[in-house]
Every structure is written in structure tokens, then in C-alpha cells.
Amino acid sequence: METANGGSESVNGGPTAARLSVGMAQGVWKAFGETQALRDVSLDVGSGECHGLVGRNGAGKSTLVGILTGLIRPDRGSVMLGTEAAPTLADRATWQRMVACVYQKSMVVPSLTVAENVFLNRATGDDHGIVNWRAMRSHARQVMLDWGFDLDVNRLVRDLTVEQRQVVEIARALSIGARFLILDEPTASLEKSAIERLFERIRRLKESAVGILYISHHLEEIYEVCDRVTVLRDGERVLSTSVGEIKQDRLIEAMVGFAPQRATEIAAPLRVIESAQPRLEISHLTVPATMGPVQDVSFFVSPGECVGLVGLQGSGTATVADAVVGLVKPVAGEIRLDGKPIHAGKVDATLRQGVTYVPEDRHARGFVPYLGVGENLTLGMLDRLSRWGIVSRSSSDSVAVGLVEQLGIVSSGLEQQVGQLSGGNQQKVVVGRALARHPTVLVAVSPTVGVDVAAKESLLNVIGAARDGGTAVLLVSDDLEDLRICTRLLVMVKGRLVKEYRQPPWGRHELIAAVEGLELASARGESE
């Protein structure tokens, strides 16, 4: 049964009170200055259930997680962990024993082993503080066995995959005894097979009476693993119900406040501008395996085209993008812009030639967190806004205001630090900075990663508008929703181009098979 805030909930037909709770927020309010982040929000996660938490960026999800993990004190309301009232914020040991969060950004220590990370800050030893390394490794190994994790506890975490690092964080939480686990965008950096393994781990945790709060922008994941779902919008709980009782369109409507149009309905029709020569040409590009394997890759992008480069993590798609913008220097091959070679391995030179970039990791490469919205938006075009080395403030602000309006960036003003914005607005700033120079080539890698449904539509429409304005767009993504704005698709498997799709719409199952390398394997089998 769907409920508004303060209404009764049901799970599998039974009342909430009959179910053992592992974590509960009741009537929580929280404000940061003049911004009311949460208004009278209640949420209850039961033992052995996976409870989805969804909402647009800025809806209050991160604030609620901070309150449920003891990092933020609510202004009003209460928190229960199991049958106990939440401890004071200073009592970190009790918080860690009761609840744990695995964040989208990994919180492991790369230079330590798996065992050392599992028992971080609580190494097994005697009363004299001497660590018993053998006992630590033995206990860590037992934790892995108990929960079905197949991982060598002696390996350095720096050598692990993203999926394996996530396993270490989950194992750390479970080893402390936490039975309330929060997973914040856990699939953001995982490929398809790793996501399936994560879902299987979640099901196993549920069977062991662990309660899970699952936060994701991918609604299909909510329907895959969650029992209930709660929607936050503008700091309020607007809906809480069983997943089986709500359709996806209704869920999206609850998140955004209206039934959203799709990008295919809003954007101008796809059109390819005829050109005597391609805008971007890549010929026989080869990059060493140590930098991400790319082997003899050739393709072109014309003005007014959006070419999608699709592949699993490690397929070489992101490496091709890095090579085009100068972050990676190829060992062979050539990249041309309007028929002229670009300066390989020189980011500043490619920027001056008209190539701009939306990186996959906005935190590491996308923005300067302590600079304001306006400064970040114009950071890539200071040469055009300055005279004799002095930047014109009026010109800079004028450009920034235009981009804020174009992308719908929500902030308190141009001076607000980008690090204080929600994830979706941070991503809009990153895309805005790339578009500020009116590039001839836009290279965008996973431009909608970690943003909500409405922000995704906004970003795709802006990139689509740049395409229709004559920009050659190279879009690297494995998100099928992103590919709606593409005019062609190129599939990469293990560093090589294996297939081209020339005309939308794309066959979902055929495309997934090609990305997984299944068509390639089938072709080899037939030839043999």
C-alpha cells in the first residue's frame, strides 16, 4: 500500500510493528543554514529485507544516510538501531557495531592487505597492543568463508578490482557485527557480471537477517533486489510501499513530481550534417595494455553526429576517450581533427584545438570542489575571458549565468562551492564547463553516472542540442539510456572494435550480446 509521510506501511500484508527493525528514523528534520534538507522524514528497515531509497539529487538521501550512520545530528526526530535508541555521535564504536555504509566512493586503504582493511583500527592482539598478525589473517579468512566471499586476505587492496574492494568493505561491516547495512550506489562502477554477483550477495545477506538500505538511481535494480521502496523529494518522504505494488512510471512520477518526458520525446530529431570530411578521425590507434588495451582501432565522427562507444569496463572505450583528449599517448596510430593531426598526449593543446572532455569520475577530474560554480564553469576558457592575463569578471559571470540557466544548475549562487552541491548539480557543472568553449568535438565518458532520472534527461538533452548544433560528440557509456542520443554505435571488446550499429533504434538484446562478446564467440564457433 502506498503511503504518504506519517501513514501506515505494510510488508507482505503485515503491519510494520510485527517486523523486527534493524534501523529506523522517526520524524527527522535537518536544516543546513537556510536549506531545509529533511522535513519530518520517517523510514524503517526491517531485518532480512532490502529497502530501496530513491530520489533526485538533492532530495535528502545523503543527509538521511548521515543521520542513520551517526555522522549528522538531526534537529528534531529520533533514530533507533535495532531495539536501542541511537547513541551519541561521539560513541563511534557503538555506531559501527550497529550500522555500516558502503559508499559509492571506496573507503578502503589501498596500501594495506585485505585482512588489515577488514580489521582496520581494531587489530586483534593482546592487552599490550601488540598485533597478532596470524590471528588477524585467520579471523579475516573466516569472515570471508562465513559469508561466501572468495578473496585472498593477504592481497594488497590496491591490486583488487572495484568489485573486490566493495567485498572488503562489506566484510569489514559484517565482521564488526553490524546487521544494518547501507549500500550507496553500489553498482555505479561495476560491470554486468559483477552486478549479478552483488545481487546474489544481497540475497544471501537477507537470508542471514541482515537489513539493507539500498540507494540507487537505476530503478530496474530496485525491482530486482528490493522488497520495499521509499521515495524522497525535496527533503520529504512522498511515498513508501512494497516494490511489487508500484509500477516504474508511478515511481518516477513520485521522484520528480510529474510524469517526465523521455529525451527521445524532447530532443530535436536526430540529423547528421553532411560534411566533405569527418570532424574527428581515429586511425589504427594502439595503446599499451598497462594503460588500458586498445588495439588497431579506427573510426570517425562527423559534425552533428553523436557516436556511442560501448563496452564493458576494461574494454578500452575509456582509454580511447583519454587518447583523444590527450590524457593518454598512443604508441601507434593517428588522431586527426578536421584533417590535421592533434597533439598526442597534450591536454592543453587538444583543448585549444577545440576538443573538450566530460570525465567519468567527476570527483577526481571533473571540478575543483572549493571553487565556486561560476569559476568551475569558466575554468576551461580563461584564455577567452582575459586580457593581458586579467580575467574579466563581468564576462566570466555572464558566461556562467548562461550555462546555469541552460543546464538548470541549482545553487545558492555563482559563489557557492561546487563541493557543496548535490551530485546531479556537480555533474551539470562538469558538462557545462565542457560546453562553455562551444567545442568542435565533445568527448563525454559516462556523462550521467550517479545522477537521478530528471538530471539524466537534462544532461542528455543538452548534449543532444550540442550535437544538433554541429558538434561532433564521442559518447562513451555502457548505460543503454545514454545511447538514445547517438546516431551510431561502436562496440569494443577487449581493446578491439567488433561491431557497428548504423541506425537507431538499437536492439537491446543484440547490443548486450555484442558488448559481452557473445556474438564474437559465436562467429568464431561458426567459422571453426
Side-chain angles (χ1 to χ4, degrees):
M1 179 176 64
E2 297 180 18
T3 66
N5 201 26
S8 61
E9 299 179 359
S10 64
V11 182
N12 299 326
T16 301
R19 180 175 43 82
L20 180 64
S21 174
V22 295
M24 180 187 300
Q26 295 179 305
V28 169
W29 293 70
K30 183 62 185 178
F32 298 98
E34 297 181 358
T35 302
Q36 191 67 51
L38 293 175
R39 297 179 179 86
D40 193 24
V41 170
S42 296
L43 180 140
D44 178 24
V45 179
S47 173
E49 84 160 345
C50 185
H51 192 127
L53 179 63
V54 299
R56 298 174 60 181
N57 292 106
K61 301 189 300 296
S62 296
T63 302
L64 182 58
V65 168
I67 289 172
L68 288 171
T69 54
L71 298 177
I72 298 174
R73 187 194 310 276
D75 298 329
R76 290 156 55 188
S78 62
V79 174
M80 298 285 292
L81 297 178
T83 59
E84 305 173 18
T88 64
L89 299 193
D91 188 1
R92 294 310 305 162
T94 301
W95 281 102
Q96 291 171 2
R97 178 172 56 83
M98 301 296 291
V99 59
C101 183
V102 178
Y103 296 94
Q104 180 178 346
K105 191 174 182 180
S106 180
M107 302 296 284
V108 294
V109 182
S111 59
L112 300 182
T113 66
V114 169
E116 290 166 339
N117 270 277
V118 168
F119 288 97
L120 198 64
N121 292 330
R122 53 190 183 91
T124 57
D126 55 28
D127 294 336
H128 302 291
I130 300 175
V131 176
N132 186 331
W133 298 103
R134 179 178 296 179
M136 178 193 292
R137 289 190 290 269
S138 176
H139 292 167
R141 189 175 295 110
Q142 191 59 51
V143 169
M144 295 294 171
L145 292 174
D146 288 345
W147 293 97
F149 299 153
D150 183 17
L151 201 58
D152 181 0
V153 299
N154 295 312
R155 289 185 65 184
L156 289 174
V157 169
R158 72 161 65 99
D159 299 328
L160 302 183
T161 64
V162 173
E163 177 191 6
Q164 290 170 330
R165 294 184 184 200
Q166 192 177 79
V167 165
V168 172
E169 294 194 76
I170 295 175
R172 178 197 295 161
L174 298 172
S175 70
I176 299 173
R179 290 299 176 266
F180 178 20
L181 182 63
I182 301 174
L183 300 178
D184 185 8
E185 294 288 347
T187 65
S189 301
L190 299 182
E191 59 185 43
K192 186 174 181 295
S193 58
I195 292 173
E196 290 300 324
R197 289 191 290 271
L198 171 66
F199 289 169
E200 185 55 41
R201 292 185 187 109
I202 289 174
R203 296 183 184 103
R204 189 162 58 241
L205 291 171
K206 287 167 58 179
E207 292 171 358
S208 300
V210 174
I212 301 165
L213 182 62
Y214 189 95
I215 303 169
S216 179
H217 289 302
H218 300 287
L219 299 187
E220 65 273 13
E221 296 176 6
I222 300 298
Y223 286 91
E224 178 75 21
V225 294
C226 293
D227 305 294
R228 290 191 297 159
V229 61
T230 291
V231 179
L232 295 184
R233 186 174 75 231
D234 298 330
E236 299 184 34
R237 190 187 79 169
V238 296
L239 182 147
S240 191
T241 186
S242 167
V243 169
E245 296 179 359
I246 185 169
K247 294 183 178 180
Q248 184 166 317
D249 287 347
R250 175 72 182 91
L251 193 59
I252 294 174
E253 184 177 347
M255 292 169 59
V256 301
F258 56 89
Q261 291 177 288
R262 311 298 287 174
T264 48
E265 298 170 348
I266 305 173
L270 294 174
R271 59 191 178 88
V272 177
I273 300 174
E274 297 296 332
S275 176
Q277 67 177 28
R279 175 65 48 77
L280 175 69
E281 294 177 273
I282 296 175
S283 303
H284 306 291
L285 188 71
T286 299
V287 177
T290 54
M291 304 171 70
V294 173
Q295 304 175 49
D296 196 28
V297 168
S298 300
F299 65 90
F300 66 90
V301 186
S302 295
E305 262 200 310
C306 179
V307 173
L309 198 56
V310 192
L312 298 176
Q313 193 171 37
S315 63
T317 54
T319 307
V320 171
D322 286 349
V324 171
V325 300
L327 288 168
V328 168
K329 189 172 183 177
V331 294
E334 191 174 45
I335 303 173
R336 288 179 170 267
L337 184 65
D338 290 327
K340 300 177 181 179
I342 68 169
H343 297 280
K346 296 183 178 181
V347 176
D348 57 339
T350 57
L351 180 65
R352 287 194 297 271
Q353 287 179 281
V355 181
T356 60
Y357 180 51
V358 177
E360 181 176 20
D361 187 341
R362 61 175 173 264
H363 297 284
R365 293 178 170 180
F367 59 82
V368 183
Y370 54 81
L371 291 185
V373 172
E375 289 175 290
N376 269 278
L377 285 169
T378 57
L379 201 57
M381 57 179 306
L382 296 181
D383 57 325
R384 299 182 180 181
L385 299 173
S386 61
R387 188 175 185 183
W388 299 306
I390 300 175
V391 175
S392 168
R393 181 63 179 268
S394 60
S395 298
S396 176
D397 286 353
S398 176
V399 170
V401 167
L403 291 167
V404 166
E405 293 176 352
Q406 181 184 0
L407 286 111
I409 298 170
V410 178
S411 71
S412 61
L414 296 182
E415 301 300 323
Q416 184 176 6
Q417 294 181 5
V418 173
Q420 298 174 348
L421 302 183
S422 68
N425 285 302
Q426 288 176 347
Q427 190 68 11
K428 288 179 180 181
V429 170
V430 174
V431 172
R433 187 188 67 184
L435 294 174
R437 291 183 68 93
H438 301 290
T440 54
V441 174
L442 172 65
V443 179
V445 183
S446 300
T448 68
V449 66
V451 304
D452 60 60
V453 175
K456 179 188 286 268
E457 298 299 326
S458 175
L459 289 167
L460 291 178
N461 287 329
V462 168
I463 295 173
R467 170 208 66 201
D468 291 339
T471 299
V473 180
L474 177 60
L475 176 62
V476 177
S477 180
D478 58 3
D479 185 337
L480 299 184
E481 290 294 297
D482 287 356
L483 306 180
R484 299 196 308 265
I485 64 172
C486 294
T487 54
R488 284 189 293 132
L489 295 185
L490 302 172
V491 178
M492 288 188 68
V493 176
K494 296 181 179 179
R496 294 183 180 275
L497 283 179
V498 299
K499 193 170 182 66
E500 179 180 14
Y501 294 88
R502 289 183 174 271
Q503 189 68 37
W506 329 110
R508 180 185 180 90
H509 296 296
E510 183 184 359
L511 178 59
I512 292 175
V515 169
E516 295 282 354
L518 299 179
E519 277 200 351
L520 195 60
S522 174
R524 283 198 300 265
E526 292 173 2
S527 65
E528 291 171 358

